[in-house]
Amino acid sequence: MDNVSSGTGLLFSSINGTSDVTINYNSIPLLSSDGFVDRGIIFSTVTSNVELHGTENNIITGATTPFSAADTTGQIFVNGVRVP
């Protein structure tokens, strides 16, 4: 739980292929009541083949950016929607 803003739930600052990442059933409540950016699940630097897996919903509330992942394959559920 983020009580001061500018928080990030799960941060993968750098991840390399051939990686498999499974993310299921997380609750990430963020403050986001001011002008600062709050982020949910973030993949910053992805190199090569990174595969996402997930069958259960991840609830992210109050995030400016609930999910961000470039250059990945596969999907997970965030707030009831398959992403990316």
Side-chain angles (χ1 to χ4, degrees):
M1 175 168 284
D2 168 35
N3 289 317
V4 294
S5 77
S6 263
T8 299
L10 296 174
L11 174 62
F12 295 84
S13 58
S14 178
I15 188 166
N16 297 316
T18 55
S19 298
D20 286 326
V21 178
T22 301
I23 303 175
N24 281 318
Y25 201 64
N26 293 282
S27 175
I28 303 173
L30 300 164
L31 185 59
S32 193
S33 63
D34 52 26
F36 294 102
V37 174
D38 290 291
R39 305 178 308 166
I41 300 172
I42 306 297
F43 289 80
S44 291
T45 303
V46 177
T47 304
S48 194
N49 186 21
V50 174
E51 178 84 25
L52 302 180
H53 304 278
T55 57
E56 301 296 325
N57 195 25
N58 299 282
I59 305 296
I60 301 171
T61 57
T64 310
T65 305
F67 179 83
S68 177
D71 302 323
T72 59
T73 57
Q75 295 180 317
I76 65 170
F77 283 96
V78 173
N79 297 335
V81 177
R82 290 184 73 69
V83 293

